[in-house]
Amino acid sequence: MPATVIVGAQWGDEGKGKIVDLLAQSSEYVCRYQGGPNAGHTIVSGGETFKLHHIPSGILYEGKISVIGAGCVVDPRLLVQEIDALEARGISTAGLRLSGNAHLIMPWHVASDSASERRLGRLQIGTTRRGIGPAYADKASRLGIRVQDVLDPKILRQKFETALAEKNRLLDEPLEAGDLADRMEECAARLRPYIADTSLLVERALKEGQKVLLEGAQGTLLDLDHGTYPFVTSSNPIAGAAATGIGIGPTRIESVIGVAKAYVTRVGEGPFPTEIEGPDQARVRDLGEEYGTTTGRERRCGWLDLVGLRFAARLNGMTSLALTKLDVLSAFPEIPVCVRYRLPDGTETDEFPAHQSDFHHAQPVYETLPGWQEPLDGSLPRAAQRYVEFVEEGLELDVIMVGTGADRESVITRDQPAYSRS
Ligand code: GDP
Ligand code: IMO
Ligand code: MG
Protein backbone atom coordinates (compact mmCIF):
# COMPACT_ATOMS: atom_id res chain seq x y z
CA MET A 1 0.00 0.00 0.00
CA PRO A 2 1.46 3.43 -0.89
CA ALA A 3 2.16 6.11 1.70
CA THR A 4 0.21 9.35 2.21
CA VAL A 5 1.87 12.63 3.14
CA ILE A 6 0.08 15.19 5.33
CA VAL A 7 1.70 18.58 4.84
CA GLY A 8 1.13 22.09 6.16
CA ALA A 9 0.14 24.42 3.30
CA GLN A 10 0.77 27.79 4.99
CA TRP A 11 3.16 28.96 7.76
CA GLY A 12 2.49 26.10 10.16
CA ASP A 13 -0.22 25.50 12.78
CA GLU A 14 -2.78 24.64 10.12
CA GLY A 15 -4.26 21.86 12.26
CA LYS A 16 -2.06 19.03 10.96
CA GLY A 17 -2.19 17.28 14.34
CA LYS A 18 -5.96 16.98 14.23
CA ILE A 19 -6.09 15.79 10.61
CA VAL A 20 -3.29 13.24 11.17
CA ASP A 21 -5.02 12.01 14.33
CA LEU A 22 -8.22 11.50 12.34
CA LEU A 23 -6.53 9.64 9.50
CA ALA A 24 -4.44 7.62 11.96
CA GLN A 25 -7.57 5.73 12.99
CA SER A 26 -7.35 3.77 9.75
CA SER A 27 -3.54 3.60 9.46
CA GLU A 28 -0.94 1.33 10.99
CA TYR A 29 2.04 3.70 10.90
CA VAL A 30 2.34 7.46 11.50
CA CYS A 31 5.80 8.88 10.80
CA ARG A 32 7.24 12.38 11.35
CA TYR A 33 9.77 13.20 8.64
CA GLN A 34 11.36 16.53 9.68
CA GLY A 35 11.45 19.24 12.33
CA GLY A 36 11.74 18.85 16.04
CA PRO A 37 10.34 20.46 19.18
CA ASN A 38 9.65 23.68 17.27
CA ALA A 39 6.46 21.88 16.25
CA GLY A 40 3.37 21.88 18.42
CA HIS A 41 0.56 19.65 17.20
CA THR A 42 -2.69 19.78 19.14
CA ILE A 43 -5.25 17.02 19.38
CA VAL A 44 -8.48 17.49 21.29
CA SER A 45 -10.16 14.22 22.12
CA GLY A 46 -12.91 13.45 24.61
CA GLY A 47 -12.49 16.85 26.26
CA GLU A 48 -8.76 16.26 26.74
CA THR A 49 -6.09 18.28 24.95
CA PHE A 50 -2.77 16.76 23.90
CA LYS A 51 0.11 18.86 22.61
CA LEU A 52 2.75 16.89 20.77
CA HIS A 53 6.14 18.24 19.81
CA HIS A 54 8.34 15.37 18.60
CA ILE A 55 5.95 12.45 18.73
CA PRO A 56 3.71 11.81 15.70
CA SER A 57 0.01 12.44 16.09
CA GLY A 58 -0.87 8.73 15.85
CA ILE A 59 0.39 7.96 19.34
CA LEU A 60 -3.04 8.37 20.95
CA TYR A 61 -4.21 5.09 19.38
CA GLU A 62 -3.02 1.90 21.01
CA GLY A 63 -1.25 -0.54 18.74
CA LYS A 64 -0.07 1.93 16.08
CA ILE A 65 3.58 2.42 15.26
CA SER A 66 4.76 6.04 15.60
CA VAL A 67 8.07 6.81 13.91
CA ILE A 68 10.38 9.76 14.46
CA GLY A 69 12.35 9.66 11.22
CA ALA A 70 15.95 10.38 10.28
CA GLY A 71 15.08 13.86 9.01
CA CYS A 72 14.01 15.00 12.50
CA VAL A 73 16.02 16.71 15.21
CA VAL A 74 15.38 15.54 18.74
CA ASP A 75 15.97 17.29 22.04
CA PRO A 76 16.53 14.23 24.25
CA ARG A 77 15.45 15.93 27.45
CA LEU A 78 12.25 17.28 25.91
CA LEU A 79 11.46 13.97 24.22
CA VAL A 80 11.75 12.12 27.54
CA GLN A 81 9.45 14.75 29.10
CA GLU A 82 6.97 14.25 26.26
CA ILE A 83 7.02 10.47 26.70
CA ASP A 84 6.56 10.82 30.47
CA ALA A 85 3.68 13.28 30.06
CA LEU A 86 1.83 10.88 27.74
CA GLU A 87 2.46 7.85 29.95
CA ALA A 88 1.25 9.83 32.97
CA ARG A 89 -2.06 10.34 31.14
CA GLY A 90 -2.38 6.65 30.38
CA ILE A 91 -1.15 6.84 26.76
CA SER A 92 1.24 4.02 25.98
CA THR A 93 4.40 4.93 24.04
CA ALA A 94 5.26 1.29 23.37
CA GLY A 95 4.67 1.91 19.64
CA LEU A 96 7.24 4.70 19.40
CA ARG A 97 10.29 4.11 17.17
CA LEU A 98 13.16 6.56 16.93
CA SER A 99 15.53 6.63 13.96
CA GLY A 100 19.18 6.23 14.94
CA ASN A 101 20.00 8.69 12.16
CA ALA A 102 17.98 11.57 13.61
CA HIS A 103 20.16 14.32 15.05
CA LEU A 104 20.23 15.45 18.65
CA ILE A 105 19.67 19.01 19.80
CA MET A 106 22.36 19.75 22.35
CA PRO A 107 22.53 22.55 24.95
CA TRP A 108 24.91 24.53 22.72
CA HIS A 109 22.33 24.52 19.93
CA VAL A 110 19.69 26.02 22.20
CA ALA A 111 22.16 28.60 23.53
CA SER A 112 23.30 29.61 20.07
CA ASP A 113 19.72 29.85 18.72
CA SER A 114 18.87 32.40 21.44
CA ALA A 115 22.21 34.21 21.11
CA SER A 116 21.83 34.64 17.36
CA GLU A 117 18.27 35.94 17.76
CA ARG A 118 19.51 38.47 20.32
CA ARG A 119 22.36 39.49 18.03
CA LEU A 120 19.99 39.99 15.10
CA GLY A 121 17.83 42.32 17.24
CA ARG A 122 15.31 44.01 14.99
CA LEU A 123 16.15 41.61 12.15
CA GLN A 124 15.49 38.47 14.17
CA ILE A 125 13.64 35.51 12.62
CA GLY A 126 11.46 34.96 15.68
CA THR A 127 12.52 31.32 16.05
CA THR A 128 11.07 29.06 18.70
CA ARG A 129 14.53 29.16 20.35
CA ARG A 130 14.55 25.36 20.53
CA GLY A 131 17.98 25.07 18.86
CA ILE A 132 16.53 23.91 15.53
CA GLY A 133 18.67 26.00 13.13
CA PRO A 134 21.99 25.31 14.89
CA ALA A 135 21.25 21.55 15.14
CA TYR A 136 20.50 21.29 11.40
CA ALA A 137 23.56 23.46 10.65
CA ASP A 138 25.80 21.05 12.58
CA LYS A 139 24.21 18.12 10.78
CA ALA A 140 25.15 19.71 7.44
CA SER A 141 28.64 20.51 8.76
CA ARG A 142 29.02 16.86 9.80
CA LEU A 143 29.57 17.91 13.40
CA GLY A 144 26.22 16.62 14.63
CA ILE A 145 25.52 14.07 17.32
CA ARG A 146 23.03 11.44 16.28
CA VAL A 147 20.50 9.41 18.19
CA GLN A 148 22.50 6.25 17.55
CA ASP A 149 25.48 7.77 19.37
CA VAL A 150 23.60 7.33 22.65
CA LEU A 151 23.70 3.55 22.17
CA ASP A 152 27.32 3.49 23.31
CA PRO A 153 28.33 5.76 26.22
CA LYS A 154 31.99 5.68 25.12
CA ILE A 155 31.18 6.87 21.61
CA LEU A 156 28.84 9.52 23.00
CA ARG A 157 31.59 10.88 25.21
CA GLN A 158 34.04 10.99 22.29
CA LYS A 159 31.49 12.84 20.15
CA PHE A 160 30.96 15.36 22.96
CA GLU A 161 34.72 15.91 23.21
CA THR A 162 35.02 16.59 19.48
CA ALA A 163 32.00 18.88 19.39
CA LEU A 164 32.90 20.77 22.57
CA ALA A 165 36.44 21.51 21.36
CA GLU A 166 34.68 23.83 18.92
CA LYS A 167 31.46 24.73 20.74
CA ASN A 168 33.04 25.78 24.04
CA ARG A 169 34.61 28.73 22.25
CA LEU A 170 31.10 30.07 21.71
CA LEU A 171 29.55 29.27 25.07
CA ASP A 172 29.46 31.69 28.00
CA GLU A 173 29.93 28.76 30.34
CA PRO A 174 32.07 26.00 28.80
CA LEU A 175 30.82 22.42 29.15
CA GLU A 176 32.92 19.41 30.08
CA ALA A 177 32.40 16.29 27.92
CA GLY A 178 32.48 13.83 30.83
CA ASP A 179 29.99 15.87 32.87
CA LEU A 180 27.65 16.23 29.94
CA ALA A 181 27.86 12.49 29.15
CA ASP A 182 27.07 11.67 32.78
CA ARG A 183 24.11 14.07 32.79
CA MET A 184 22.89 12.69 29.46
CA GLU A 185 23.07 9.07 30.60
CA GLU A 186 19.67 9.09 32.31
CA CYS A 187 17.97 10.39 29.15
CA ALA A 188 20.03 8.09 26.94
CA ALA A 189 18.96 5.05 28.95
CA ARG A 190 15.31 6.07 28.57
CA LEU A 191 15.58 6.54 24.79
CA ARG A 192 17.63 3.42 23.92
CA PRO A 193 14.67 1.01 23.80
CA TYR A 194 12.92 3.16 21.20
CA ILE A 195 15.85 3.31 18.74
CA ALA A 196 15.25 1.29 15.58
CA ASP A 197 16.06 1.03 11.89
CA THR A 198 12.96 3.00 11.01
CA SER A 199 13.66 3.16 7.27
CA LEU A 200 13.59 -0.63 7.11
CA LEU A 201 10.52 -0.83 9.36
CA VAL A 202 8.49 1.53 7.17
CA GLU A 203 9.59 -0.15 3.94
CA ARG A 204 8.54 -3.54 5.32
CA ALA A 205 5.19 -2.13 6.46
CA LEU A 206 4.56 -0.72 2.98
CA LYS A 207 5.47 -4.03 1.35
CA GLU A 208 3.07 -5.84 3.66
CA GLY A 209 0.28 -3.53 2.54
CA GLN A 210 -0.01 -1.57 5.79
CA LYS A 211 -1.24 2.01 5.71
CA VAL A 212 1.49 4.58 6.36
CA LEU A 213 0.99 8.29 7.03
CA LEU A 214 3.93 10.65 6.73
CA GLU A 215 3.35 13.68 8.95
CA GLY A 216 5.05 16.98 8.19
CA ALA A 217 5.82 19.63 10.76
CA GLN A 218 5.75 23.41 10.14
CA GLY A 219 4.42 24.40 6.71
CA THR A 220 5.28 24.97 3.06
CA LEU A 221 6.05 28.70 3.41
CA LEU A 222 8.52 27.87 6.21
CA ASP A 223 10.44 25.50 3.90
CA LEU A 224 14.18 26.17 3.95
CA ASP A 225 14.51 26.06 0.16
CA HIS A 226 11.14 27.25 -1.12
CA GLY A 227 9.65 29.29 1.73
CA THR A 228 9.96 32.94 2.66
CA TYR A 229 13.70 32.78 3.36
CA PRO A 230 15.27 33.81 5.71
CA PHE A 231 12.03 33.77 7.74
CA VAL A 232 11.78 29.99 7.54
CA THR A 233 12.70 26.94 9.55
CA SER A 234 15.87 24.96 8.90
CA SER A 235 14.38 21.84 7.35
CA ASN A 236 12.10 20.97 4.43
CA PRO A 237 8.45 20.55 5.45
CA ILE A 238 7.33 20.04 1.82
CA ALA A 239 6.12 16.62 0.74
CA GLY A 240 9.18 15.87 -1.39
CA ALA A 241 11.20 15.72 1.83
CA ALA A 242 9.03 13.00 3.31
CA ALA A 243 10.87 10.29 1.38
CA THR A 244 14.35 11.44 2.44
CA GLY A 245 13.22 12.18 5.99
CA ILE A 246 11.91 8.65 6.48
CA GLY A 247 14.28 6.79 4.18
CA ILE A 248 11.90 5.38 1.58
CA GLY A 249 11.78 5.95 -2.16
CA PRO A 250 9.63 8.75 -3.58
CA THR A 251 7.73 6.18 -5.67
CA ARG A 252 6.25 4.89 -2.40
CA ILE A 253 4.18 8.07 -2.00
CA GLU A 254 0.88 8.23 -3.80
CA SER A 255 -1.19 10.94 -2.19
CA VAL A 256 -0.38 14.27 -0.60
CA ILE A 257 -3.01 15.92 1.57
CA GLY A 258 -2.36 19.59 2.23
CA VAL A 259 -3.73 21.12 5.43
CA ALA A 260 -4.71 24.79 5.39
CA LYS A 261 -6.68 26.99 7.73
CA ALA A 262 -9.68 28.76 6.23
CA TYR A 263 -7.64 31.91 6.97
CA VAL A 264 -3.88 32.27 7.60
CA THR A 265 -1.67 32.63 10.64
CA ARG A 266 2.02 33.18 11.09
CA VAL A 267 4.16 33.14 14.24
CA GLY A 268 7.46 34.95 14.16
CA GLU A 269 8.72 37.60 11.80
CA GLY A 270 8.58 37.89 8.02
CA PRO A 271 6.37 39.18 5.22
CA PHE A 272 2.66 38.35 5.30
CA PRO A 273 0.65 40.05 2.51
CA THR A 274 -2.85 39.22 3.83
CA GLU A 275 -2.16 40.11 7.47
CA ILE A 276 -5.31 41.82 8.72
CA GLU A 277 -5.15 45.48 9.62
CA GLY A 278 -7.58 46.75 12.21
CA PRO A 279 -9.77 45.12 14.84
CA ASP A 280 -10.57 41.97 12.79
CA GLN A 281 -6.99 40.79 13.43
CA ALA A 282 -7.66 40.50 17.17
CA ARG A 283 -11.12 39.11 16.50
CA VAL A 284 -9.77 36.23 14.40
CA ARG A 285 -7.02 35.64 16.99
CA ASP A 286 -9.53 35.45 19.84
CA LEU A 287 -12.09 33.33 17.99
CA GLY A 288 -9.40 30.98 16.67
CA GLU A 289 -7.46 30.97 19.96
CA GLU A 290 -4.40 31.79 17.93
CA TYR A 291 -1.60 31.51 20.45
CA GLY A 292 1.47 29.34 19.78
CA THR A 293 1.30 25.73 21.00
CA THR A 294 5.05 25.67 21.63
CA THR A 295 5.91 29.21 22.68
CA GLY A 296 2.54 30.74 23.64
CA ARG A 297 3.25 33.70 21.34
CA GLU A 298 0.36 35.54 19.66
CA ARG A 299 -0.08 34.31 16.12
CA ARG A 300 -0.43 37.00 13.43
CA CYS A 301 -3.72 36.52 11.57
CA GLY A 302 -4.66 37.17 7.96
CA TRP A 303 -7.32 36.40 5.35
CA LEU A 304 -7.00 33.33 3.19
CA ASP A 305 -4.33 33.70 0.52
CA LEU A 306 -5.05 31.64 -2.60
CA VAL A 307 -1.78 32.74 -4.24
CA GLY A 308 0.19 31.20 -1.37
CA LEU A 309 -2.06 28.13 -1.37
CA ARG A 310 -1.70 27.54 -5.11
CA PHE A 311 2.07 27.75 -4.62
CA ALA A 312 1.80 25.17 -1.83
CA ALA A 313 -0.39 22.91 -4.00
CA ARG A 314 2.28 23.03 -6.71
CA LEU A 315 5.34 22.56 -4.50
CA ASN A 316 3.81 19.60 -2.71
CA GLY A 317 2.03 18.00 -5.65
CA MET A 318 -1.06 18.07 -3.47
CA THR A 319 -3.75 15.59 -4.39
CA SER A 320 -6.36 17.09 -2.03
CA LEU A 321 -6.79 19.62 0.74
CA ALA A 322 -8.16 19.62 4.29
CA LEU A 323 -9.52 23.05 5.23
CA THR A 324 -9.55 23.59 8.99
CA LYS A 325 -11.10 26.15 11.32
CA LEU A 326 -13.89 27.25 9.01
CA ASP A 327 -15.99 27.74 12.17
CA VAL A 328 -13.77 30.66 13.17
CA LEU A 329 -15.06 32.64 10.18
CA SER A 330 -18.70 32.15 11.17
CA ALA A 331 -18.67 35.49 12.99
CA PHE A 332 -17.92 37.60 9.91
CA PRO A 333 -20.64 39.07 7.63
CA GLU A 334 -18.16 39.28 4.75
CA ILE A 335 -14.92 37.39 4.20
CA PRO A 336 -12.14 38.67 1.96
CA VAL A 337 -10.08 36.07 0.08
CA CYS A 338 -6.87 37.05 -1.69
CA VAL A 339 -6.97 35.89 -5.31
CA ARG A 340 -3.98 37.75 -6.80
CA TYR A 341 -1.08 39.95 -5.78
CA ARG A 342 -0.44 43.44 -7.07
CA LEU A 343 3.29 44.03 -7.50
CA PRO A 344 5.12 47.36 -7.02
CA ASP A 345 5.27 47.92 -10.82
CA GLY A 346 1.46 47.84 -10.92
CA THR A 347 1.17 44.43 -12.58
CA GLU A 348 -1.00 41.73 -11.08
CA THR A 349 -0.06 38.08 -10.74
CA ASP A 350 -1.64 34.90 -9.48
CA GLU A 351 1.76 33.18 -9.17
CA PHE A 352 3.77 33.36 -5.97
CA PRO A 353 6.64 35.83 -6.61
CA ALA A 354 9.99 34.15 -7.17
CA HIS A 355 11.95 37.09 -5.75
CA GLN A 356 11.74 38.11 -2.15
CA SER A 357 11.48 41.85 -2.75
CA ASP A 358 8.42 41.31 -4.96
CA PHE A 359 6.86 39.21 -2.22
CA HIS A 360 7.74 41.73 0.50
CA HIS A 361 5.94 44.46 -1.45
CA ALA A 362 3.07 42.37 -2.83
CA GLN A 363 -0.39 43.82 -2.13
CA PRO A 364 -3.29 41.40 -1.89
CA VAL A 365 -6.18 41.74 -4.34
CA TYR A 366 -9.30 40.50 -2.57
CA GLU A 367 -12.61 39.08 -3.62
CA THR A 368 -15.16 39.37 -0.83
CA LEU A 369 -17.41 36.41 -0.15
CA PRO A 370 -20.62 36.56 1.89
CA GLY A 371 -20.39 35.12 5.40
CA TRP A 372 -22.92 32.71 6.90
CA GLN A 373 -23.07 34.00 10.48
CA GLU A 374 -24.37 30.84 12.06
CA PRO A 375 -22.52 28.10 13.91
CA LEU A 376 -21.24 25.18 11.86
CA ASP A 377 -22.12 21.67 12.85
CA GLY A 378 -23.10 18.58 10.85
CA SER A 379 -23.65 20.30 7.50
CA LEU A 380 -22.46 23.53 5.94
CA PRO A 381 -24.82 26.47 5.30
CA ARG A 382 -24.94 27.55 1.65
CA ALA A 383 -22.49 30.46 2.03
CA ALA A 384 -19.96 28.28 3.88
CA GLN A 385 -20.25 25.68 1.16
CA ARG A 386 -19.66 28.40 -1.43
CA TYR A 387 -16.54 29.49 0.47
CA VAL A 388 -15.15 25.96 0.28
CA GLU A 389 -16.03 25.64 -3.41
CA PHE A 390 -14.34 29.00 -4.09
CA VAL A 391 -11.14 27.54 -2.60
CA GLU A 392 -11.50 24.38 -4.69
CA GLU A 393 -11.99 26.39 -7.88
CA GLY A 394 -9.04 28.66 -7.06
CA LEU A 395 -6.74 25.72 -6.39
CA GLU A 396 -8.17 23.23 -8.87
CA LEU A 397 -8.15 20.75 -6.02
CA ASP A 398 -10.72 18.88 -3.96
CA VAL A 399 -11.31 19.89 -0.35
CA ILE A 400 -11.90 16.50 1.26
CA MET A 401 -12.29 17.59 4.88
CA VAL A 402 -13.58 20.73 6.55
CA GLY A 403 -12.78 21.48 10.19
CA THR A 404 -15.67 22.92 12.18
CA GLY A 405 -14.19 22.83 15.70
CA ALA A 406 -11.10 21.75 17.62
CA ASP A 407 -12.52 18.45 18.75
CA ARG A 408 -11.70 15.18 16.98
CA GLU A 409 -15.35 14.81 15.95
CA SER A 410 -15.72 18.32 14.55
CA VAL A 411 -14.93 17.64 10.94
CA ILE A 412 -17.03 17.24 7.83
CA THR A 413 -15.76 14.68 5.38
CA ARG A 414 -16.76 15.62 1.86
CA ASP A 415 -17.45 12.45 -0.07
CA GLN A 416 -18.23 14.39 -3.18
CA PRO A 417 -15.93 17.39 -3.32
CA ALA A 418 -16.88 19.91 -5.97
CA TYR A 419 -13.74 20.25 -8.04
CA SER A 420 -13.42 16.71 -9.37
CA ARG A 421 -17.18 16.63 -10.04
CA SER A 422 -17.03 19.70 -12.29
P1 GDP B 1 -0.55 22.01 13.84
O1 GDP B 1 0.76 22.51 14.33
O2 GDP B 1 -0.69 22.15 12.35
O3 GDP B 1 -0.86 20.63 14.29
O4 GDP B 1 -1.66 22.98 14.46
P2 GDP B 1 -1.71 23.51 15.99
O5 GDP B 1 -2.15 22.41 16.85
O6 GDP B 1 -0.46 24.23 16.34
O7 GDP B 1 -2.81 24.65 15.86
C1 GDP B 1 -4.11 24.39 15.42
C2 GDP B 1 -5.10 24.78 16.52
O8 GDP B 1 -6.40 24.79 15.99
C3 GDP B 1 -5.14 23.78 17.67
O9 GDP B 1 -5.42 24.48 18.85
C4 GDP B 1 -6.30 22.86 17.29
O10 GDP B 1 -6.94 22.27 18.42
C5 GDP B 1 -7.24 23.84 16.63
N1 GDP B 1 -8.08 23.29 15.57
C6 GDP B 1 -7.78 22.35 14.63
N2 GDP B 1 -8.80 22.22 13.74
C7 GDP B 1 -9.75 23.09 14.13
C8 GDP B 1 -11.05 23.45 13.60
O11 GDP B 1 -11.50 22.95 12.58
N3 GDP B 1 -11.73 24.43 14.29
C9 GDP B 1 -11.24 25.03 15.42
N4 GDP B 1 -11.96 25.97 16.01
N5 GDP B 1 -10.04 24.71 15.93
C10 GDP B 1 -9.30 23.77 15.30
P1 IMO C 1 3.99 23.30 13.62
O1 IMO C 1 4.55 21.95 13.25
C1 IMO C 1 4.33 27.64 13.24
C2 IMO C 1 8.40 29.25 12.87
C3 IMO C 1 8.94 30.10 14.00
C4 IMO C 1 9.86 31.02 13.21
C5 IMO C 1 10.45 30.11 12.14
C6 IMO C 1 11.80 29.51 12.50
O2 IMO C 1 3.33 23.36 14.95
O3 IMO C 1 3.16 23.84 12.50
P2 IMO C 1 12.59 27.60 14.19
O4 IMO C 1 12.45 27.48 15.67
O5 IMO C 1 11.99 26.49 13.41
O6 IMO C 1 14.01 27.85 13.77
O7 IMO C 1 11.77 28.96 13.81
O8 IMO C 1 9.52 29.04 12.00
N1 IMO C 1 7.92 27.91 13.28
C7 IMO C 1 6.62 27.56 13.33
N2 IMO C 1 5.50 28.30 13.13
N3 IMO C 1 4.24 26.32 13.50
C8 IMO C 1 5.35 25.55 13.67
O9 IMO C 1 5.30 24.22 13.78
C9 IMO C 1 6.61 26.19 13.63
N4 IMO C 1 7.89 25.76 13.80
C10 IMO C 1 8.67 26.82 13.56
O10 IMO C 1 7.91 30.79 14.65
O11 IMO C 1 9.10 31.99 12.54
MG1 MG D 1 1.52 23.91 15.68
Side-chain angles (χ1 to χ4, degrees):
M1 168 129 350
T4 298
V5 179
I6 318 295
V7 61
Q10 295 158 327
W11 276 289
D13 301 327
E14 298 91 346
K16 298 175 291 294
K18 173 178 157 171
I19 299 298
V20 172
D21 167 74
L22 272 173
L23 296 173
Q25 286 175 27
S26 56
S27 307
E28 278 87 16
Y29 274 65
V30 184
C31 314
R32 261 285 291 280
Y33 56 85
Q34 44 72 232
N38 46 349
H41 299 174
T42 315
I43 300 159
V44 182
S45 159
E48 277 199 85
T49 300
F50 297 88
K51 292 178 192 278
L52 299 169
H53 300 285
H54 296 92
I55 299 180
S57 310
I59 196 76
L60 301 191
Y61 301 102
E62 189 109 36
K64 313 271 176 194
I65 301 295
S66 297
V67 169
I68 299 178
C72 297
V73 287
V74 171
D75 185 320
R77 201 177 42 86
L78 295 181
L79 177 56
V80 168
Q81 276 177 20
E82 204 173 326
I83 290 170
D84 285 343
L86 285 171
E87 295 278 355
R89 294 172 72 177
I91 308 292
S92 166
T93 57
L96 182 64
R97 303 285 183 273
L98 176 56
S99 168
N101 288 1
H103 277 249
L104 292 178
I105 300 174
M106 289 286 117
W108 52 86
H109 295 137
V110 180
S112 106
D113 196 358
S114 294
S116 88
E117 286 285 88
R118 276 196 302 274
R119 243 190 339 269
L120 284 166
R122 220 170 37 83
L123 298 176
Q124 67 173 260
I125 310 292
T127 73
T128 58
R129 302 198 176 198
R130 296 288 188 277
I132 305 296
Y136 276 115
D138 274 357
K139 167 179 167 172
S141 310
R142 290 154 298 178
L143 261 181
I145 294 173
R146 294 193 295 172
V147 165
Q148 60 184 280
D149 296 331
V150 311
L151 288 170
D152 182 337
K154 251 175 50 205
I155 291 183
L156 187 62
R157 198 185 162 118
Q158 279 167 11
K159 298 260 172 169
F160 282 163
E161 274 164 9
T162 311
L164 284 171
E166 164 139 350
K167 299 298 173 189
N168 269 340
R169 288 192 276 133
L170 309 169
L171 290 175
D172 292 339
E173 289 179 34
L175 294 165
E176 204 275 310
D179 267 2
L180 186 61
D182 290 345
R183 275 192 281 136
M184 265 287 291
E185 182 44 34
E186 202 180 319
C187 263
R190 292 289 313 284
L191 294 182
R192 276 181 203 123
Y194 295 107
I195 302 174
D197 183 348
T198 50
S199 154
L200 182 63
L201 268 181
V202 176
E203 176 66 14
R204 282 196 177 140
L206 287 164
K207 274 200 175 135
E208 284 165 13
Q210 306 206 44
K211 222 171 151 194
V212 174
L213 293 181
L214 308 176
E215 177 188 34
Q218 289 82 54
T220 302
L221 297 176
L222 289 170
D223 186 272
L224 180 59
D225 291 295
H226 300 282
T228 50
Y229 192 89
F231 302 101
V232 293
T233 191
S234 298
S235 66
N236 294 109
I238 60 172
T244 40
I246 296 300
I248 54 170
T251 48
R252 289 287 188 202
I253 297 168
E254 189 179 66
S255 38
V256 176
I257 303 175
V259 185
K261 275 179 188 161
Y263 49 98
V264 188
T265 61
R266 174 163 209 175
V267 213
E269 305 307 316
F272 184 178
T274 63
E275 186 163 18
I276 301 169
E277 284 165 17
D280 282 347
Q281 158 98 227
R283 200 141 170 242
V284 173
R285 183 180 304 121
D286 288 347
L287 290 166
E289 297 179 44
E290 296 296 355
Y291 299 90
T293 309
T294 298
T295 58
R297 287 178 291 175
E298 278 187 356
R299 294 174 180 153
R300 299 156 65 194
C301 298
W303 302 120
L304 190 65
D305 181 350
L306 289 183
V307 182
L309 265 189
R310 269 194 296 268
F311 179 59
R314 165 159 67 89
L315 279 177
N316 291 295
M318 268 181 215
T319 50
S320 58
L321 188 78
L323 196 66
T324 62
K325 306 192 89 161
L326 190 63
D327 53 300
V328 173
L329 298 181
S330 298
F332 297 88
E334 291 187 321
I335 308 165
V337 175
C338 168
V339 291
R340 287 186 301 283
Y341 291 159
R342 186 168 303 116
L343 300 178
D345 66 3
T347 58
E348 290 190 359
T349 178
D350 50 16
E351 293 294 347
F352 198 81
H355 295 290
Q356 71 171 27
S357 41
D358 283 340
F359 183 63
H360 281 238
H361 297 107
Q363 292 295 321
V365 178
Y366 289 112
E367 273 189 40
T368 300
L369 272 66
W372 43 95
Q373 296 195 282
E374 57 180 293
L376 300 181
D377 40 40
S379 63
L380 295 181
R382 187 64 215 125
Q385 202 161 330
R386 179 69 203 120
Y387 189 86
V388 175
E389 286 168 4
F390 190 78
V391 173
E392 291 183 307
E393 287 157 17
L395 303 183
E396 301 184 353
L397 207 60
D398 282 338
V399 172
I400 55 165
M401 281 182 270
V402 176
T404 56
D407 202 76
R408 201 182 245 176
E409 279 74 44
S410 300
V411 70
I412 294 174
T413 305
R414 298 176 84 237
D415 298 326
Q416 288 197 304
Y419 177 66
S420 59
R421 264 191 293 137
S422 60

